[in-house]
Amino acid sequence: MFRAGRRAAAGERGAALVAALGVILVVSILIAALVFATMGERAISQQQAGGVQALFLAEAGAYRALAELRHRIAVDLAARIDQAEAGEVIAACEADQGWRLVAAFAHPGGTTDWTEDPATGEAVLSLNGGRPLTIRSGAGAETGRFTATIRMRTTAAGIRADCRRPETARPERYRMYLDYEIVATGMARSARRSVKLTNPPEAPVELAVERASFSRWALLLLQRSEQWLTETTVIDGPAHTNDRWHIAGSPTFHGPVSSTGMQVVFDNCGGPVELEAAVNAGAPPACAGDHPRYLAGEVQRGVRPMEFPVPPPSLARAALGLDPDGAPPGDDELLRAATEQVKAGAPPAPGVYIANDGGVLRHPRTGEPSGIYIKGNADILALAVEDGRQVLLLRLAGASGGAVVQKIILDPQREVIQVVSGADGTTRTYRGRFNGLIYVDGAIESFSGTISRSTLLTVVARKAVTVTDHVVYEHPPGAGGEEASNLLGLYVEEGSVEIDGERAPADLYLDAVVLAPKGQVRVEGLSGLGDRGTLHLFGGLTAEEFGLLGTIDSDTRAQRGYRLDLRYDQRLLGEVMPPFFPRANRYAALRPRGDGLYLKPVWQEVTQP
């Protein structure tokens, strides 16, 4: 009986052990399942996080590539297209393959990093040479990588290239239309995702190339450029010299800068040196050197010289409504253009002549719109604004030594020009479209005034122009409100633009695109002047050589004359230019408004390549 009880107790203990083992097994299975589930969810969560991260990286890479493309077109191509040959540009336009010009010139320098794919008709650029770019956290840990490829091709929007060859009567200009496609792939952990950006299908990228107007440069020197550019010099547009730049300290170039000479002359702390280099390291600590700030790429040295056309277009002919290609007009041409204004049997006297066809503002033979032709020296040519109209106050040296005073009223809204004689008040009225040109067959001894907000004007003097007071826009660009359309070109064919140091005010303002291909812009009577403050030139300056505007006394270090503040009129990068301004032997890339390159791109996630 005692042994039977012991057997029963042992059986109970065995049953409990089996039950306990069963419970442990079940719990172990549940724990294992929970662990595996947790690990799976964590893996899925990590994979999802990696996928999201890869998508963000791909999007960042795509927009980084778009920023690169914009810079390549707006800065690099604009800076290098002037080295293009005519045949190269014409062939690309007539084959409607503007992407070839992108491949050839839209690069920062040296050899192009674009490749051409004739089979697909594309220019292809891989960021970083196709190698992945690594993105790191603030602590330096790698968060992922991306690659990006840009493709440019002829647009599929059905817009054909427009090619104006040089032999046509219109300005030589080429317009080509392109589509871009950017594919970027982001990589985070094991995840890879890709994003594609394209321009809106109805808004292709416009590549516009034309023979550059001489108004396009902020500073262009056709011969010597021995004026030192100093610490205070800021040039915020394209700059070129057919000579060598003279750099003292750290002048700032906001736009592309180039020179025909291979050397740059550096001040080198008062001991000038000529170096084939963009900067002068100097010899610290004795001399810190010269370090110009090139904000749009280092100076391009050894480029082709900029040539002024020989012979230049005759703007005297253009003022009469004649083709500018030809010899300057003689008295017989003036007689045929303005018959009623010339006395029979007598040579044309000093005065204002307007080519017209029975009172209509056009040449009677060519039918082309005419401008204003002024024969003789102008003692005074002052611009004024009256009731929103542009007015010219003119005093001429008379043929017998007396003064001829006349007032010319330009009314573009009514398309009327009135010439009022100061002697007897008689008025001559002409109707039609004014071509924007005033030609003085002599010198302008005193020039000043205000250009009305709607006036687009080129004033040309054959001999010289002397500025005696401010020349300003009534409504400068960027002043707010409706965008101004006023623009003044000031062109001296054979002489210089001179600033009368005695009569001109201190801190002189000159709003104009100045062109003196055989002269300078300089200050008269500089040796007898004190500090005249700053010449504020808003527009651009092209001259044979850099004239002397101011000096520093070697003994007292006092300033004589004017300092130069040259601010570029950014409108000149587009299709805005003074009427009939001569064109250079170089090409320029225009900056069209509403270009598809700057519109919001079309975003799309694509299958991983």
Side-chain angles (χ1 to χ4, degrees), residues 251-340:
T252 301
F253 296 92
H254 282 272
V257 54
S258 59
S259 67
T260 298
M262 286 298 296
Q263 295 177 324
V264 177
V265 182
F266 294 102
D267 176 65
N268 196 44
C269 302
V273 294
E274 302 174 0
L275 300 177
E276 292 189 6
V279 298
N280 170 33
C287 178
D290 306 279
H291 301 270
R293 292 180 282 264
Y294 300 112
L295 303 185
E298 285 191 350
V299 56
Q300 297 182 64
R301 294 171 289 114
V303 304
R304 286 190 297 132
M306 195 76 65
E307 298 174 359
F308 199 75
V310 179
S314 171
L315 298 200
R317 293 176 59 86
L320 296 175
L322 296 168
D323 186 345
D325 292 332
D331 289 349
D332 55 338
E333 286 281 11
L334 196 56
L335 176 61
R336 284 191 288 268
T339 304
E340 86 289 356

